[in-house]
Amino acid sequence: METWRHYYDFVCKFSSLTGTWPYLKPRTRKLRVALLTVTTLTVFVPQIAYQFTCKTDVRCMFEAMTSYLLTIVALLKVYTFQLNTRTLKDLTQHLFVDWKGLESPKEYEIMRSYAKNSRRFCLVYAAYCLAAVVTFMSISLIPFVLDIVWPLNESRPIVPPYPGYYFVDTREYFFKIFWHSVVAWEIIMAGIVAHDCMLLTYIEHVCSLFATVGFRFENLFCNSDETLKIADDSNDTYRKRTAFFVHAHREAIKLAELLEDTFTVPFAIQMLIVTVGISITLLQVTQQQGDILESVRYVVYVIGQLIHLFILSFEGQKLIDHSLQTCDKIYGSSWYEVSASTQKLIMLVMMKSVRPSFLSAGKIYIFSLESFTTVTTRKIIVCLNRDSFDARAT
């Protein structure tokens, strides 16, 4: 329990604030999720109102879409945890129960390294996302600063904190709108960060289980002084230990499949929204004509979306690699010198390890670095082709 408290304390506290920690009391969880939902609606309503003010202006409509699509993603992430509370309790329980089955200091060190890695990432990711919100919103203050430092004959045009219509004069109530935007989006971003940090913690834990199983099979036939010790056909010690390791490998695969089954549909919706959002934003970047502040905001938005997609792809690739490495580690051991009954158990693990565990969006898009490179490259090529076509047309 001390290990769990030390390495998962940040994830527990941060997700508890947003109501996504599965072991919260139901009443507390519902209250915090309701608060997060109401806060999101205070942003979503101005976004939809802004959409209606665009009327037939396509550029304005695209600008509004890039804003409220992110709000929809935030709600989707929060309610993914609320609708799968029982499943997530099982996943969370493994975070600290699996530590009890460790047999050696080296196994403990393997688990500890992955837990430290997930904790380090969550701290950096949370700091980045919360700081990015303030940075993105603060761009709207630049015209006011320039009016003081370098005044013109008339005030510079106002840049809203985000595309939204508050039914009041924006210039008169700008700072009230600004502070509402900062506070509301920080709360919304906290919900997104809590979801992503919990997900990454689960993935890192599954990878640590695969790494531990691989280490056990690598050292199955070695004693403490690392000299080879082959089992006799009459002695079933190694057969029992192998059966235990086979069970541990099966549990790791089940945990990976549980992650895939829980998040594949939400991931499909998120990928659809993110793809549309990035495509629209890149199109807007190519069509900007001298509006530097808007161009900077679009670029910052695209970079944030690409970082989010890269993190999911990187962790998906890590899960694939760890599930496949088990077979290589078994093959590198002296499994061929043991009894026939033990070899059959080991062969079962090798056969299962040939098929990788993975995360997908709707069983169609596999999260991996190859998929990430393919998607981003195609989007950039399409936007460049569109830009060159528009240049030739003019």
Side-chain angles (χ1 to χ4, degrees):
M1 185 62 68
E2 289 183 2
T3 304
W4 170 74
R5 286 179 179 176
H6 178 70
Y7 295 115
Y8 305 116
D9 185 61
F10 175 78
V11 174
C12 173
K13 292 180 178 179
F14 198 88
S15 59
S16 297
L17 290 175
T18 59
T20 55
W21 184 252
Y23 285 101
L24 283 175
K25 294 181 180 179
R27 184 175 179 179
T28 303
R29 183 175 66 252
K30 292 178 181 178
L31 179 63
R32 294 178 182 179
V33 172
L35 178 62
L36 180 59
T37 304
V38 171
T39 303
T40 306
L41 290 177
T42 63
V43 171
F44 188 68
V45 171
Q47 290 172 335
I48 298 301
Y50 184 81
Q51 177 78 75
F52 281 103
T53 61
C54 294
K55 296 181 180 179
T56 58
D57 189 346
V58 177
R59 180 178 175 182
C60 177
M61 293 172 62
F62 282 166
E63 184 180 4
M65 287 181 64
T66 57
S67 179
Y68 65 73
L69 286 176
L70 180 60
T71 308
I72 295 173
V73 169
L75 287 175
L76 176 64
K77 286 178 177 291
V78 172
Y79 280 94
T80 296
F81 274 68
Q82 302 309 310
L83 298 176
N84 297 278
T85 304
R86 182 174 298 179
T87 302
L88 295 173
K89 280 185 178 180
D90 295 337
L91 289 170
T92 306
Q93 187 178 13
H94 279 275
L95 294 179
F96 51 92
V97 169
D98 291 336
W99 291 80
K100 298 179 181 179
L102 301 180
E103 297 182 338
S104 68
K106 289 186 177 180
E107 293 179 7
Y108 177 85
E109 184 62 28
I110 291 173
M111 295 281 287
R112 189 174 71 91
S113 63
Y114 285 88
K116 286 178 63 178
N117 186 46
S118 63
R119 183 175 184 272
R120 188 184 304 114
F121 169 82
C122 290
L123 289 171
V124 174
Y125 184 68
Y128 160 76
C129 290
L130 298 179
V133 171
V134 177
T135 303
F136 185 86
M137 297 295 174
S138 297
I139 294 176
S140 62
L141 296 175
I142 294 179
F144 290 92
V145 175
L146 291 177
D147 284 341
I148 297 173
V149 178
W150 188 15
L152 301 176
N153 293 331
E154 58 182 10
S155 299
R156 290 174 172 83
I158 290 178
V159 179
Y162 71 97
Y165 178 63
Y166 280 81
F167 307 97
V168 294
D169 183 76
T170 306
R171 180 175 292 276
E172 182 180 355
Y173 293 92
F174 175 81
F175 287 100
K176 293 181 180 179
I177 294 173
F178 173 79
W179 286 114
H180 167 264
S181 302
V182 171
V183 174
W185 277 105
E186 288 287 4
I187 295 174
I188 294 171
M189 189 57 65
I192 295 176
V193 170
H195 171 279
D196 293 345
C197 287
M198 287 289 294
L199 175 62
L200 180 130
T201 302
Y202 294 146
I203 297 174
E204 287 288 334
H205 184 71
V206 175
C207 291
S208 70
L209 295 180
F210 279 120
T212 303
V213 170
F215 171 80
R216 287 172 174 175
F217 276 109
E218 270 187 321
N219 298 272
L220 175 62
F221 313 109
C222 300
N223 57 19
S224 57
D225 59 358
E226 299 183 357
T227 58
L228 193 64
K229 183 180 180 181
I230 305 301
D232 298 329
D233 290 341
S234 59
N235 192 348
D236 63 347
T237 301
Y238 285 91
R239 185 176 58 83
K240 290 181 179 179
R241 286 178 56 81
T242 303
F244 174 73
F245 296 163
V246 170
H247 175 74
H249 181 257
R250 186 180 302 169
E251 288 297 316
I253 293 177
K254 286 183 178 179
L255 205 59
E257 291 176 349
L258 187 59
L259 270 177
E260 161 68 7
D261 295 339
T262 303
F263 290 97
T264 183
V265 175
F267 276 154
I269 302 174
Q270 290 181 43
M271 282 299 301
L272 177 62
I273 295 174
V274 169
T275 301
V276 173
I278 293 179
S279 300
I280 293 174
T281 308
L282 288 175
L283 180 62
Q284 289 176 301
V285 171
T286 59
Q287 293 181 347
Q288 286 298 311
Q289 298 177 355
D291 195 341
I292 299 177
L293 291 181
E294 287 298 325
S295 298
V296 170
R297 297 180 74 169
Y298 289 140
V299 170
V300 171
Y301 181 84
V302 171
I303 291 175
Q305 293 289 346
L306 290 177
I307 290 175
H308 177 262
L309 182 58
F310 173 77
I311 290 171
L312 293 178
S313 301
F314 179 79
E315 289 299 319
Q317 184 68 55
K318 195 171 185 178
L319 181 60
I320 293 173
D321 294 341
H322 278 71
S323 61
L324 292 175
Q325 286 173 1
T326 306
C327 181
D328 296 333
K329 291 181 178 180
I330 294 175
Y331 189 78
S333 66
S334 301
W335 60 271
Y336 47 84
E337 297 188 29
V338 298
S339 62
S341 59
T342 304
Q343 288 183 15
K344 292 179 181 178
L345 293 176
I346 295 176
M347 289 299 296
L348 289 176
V349 178
M350 295 183 70
M351 291 171 62
K352 286 184 174 293
S353 300
V354 174
R355 298 180 59 185
S357 299
F358 57 85
L359 293 176
S360 71
K363 307 293 184 180
I364 300 174
Y365 178 87
I366 306 298
F367 286 100
S368 64
L369 294 179
E370 181 181 359
S371 299
F372 173 79
T373 304
T374 303
V375 170
T376 53
T377 302
R378 287 180 179 177
K379 287 185 182 298
I380 293 174
I381 291 175
V382 169
C383 289
L384 290 176
N385 290 338
R386 175 62 181 272
D387 193 23
S388 61
F389 174 80
D390 292 341
R392 290 195 302 270
T394 55

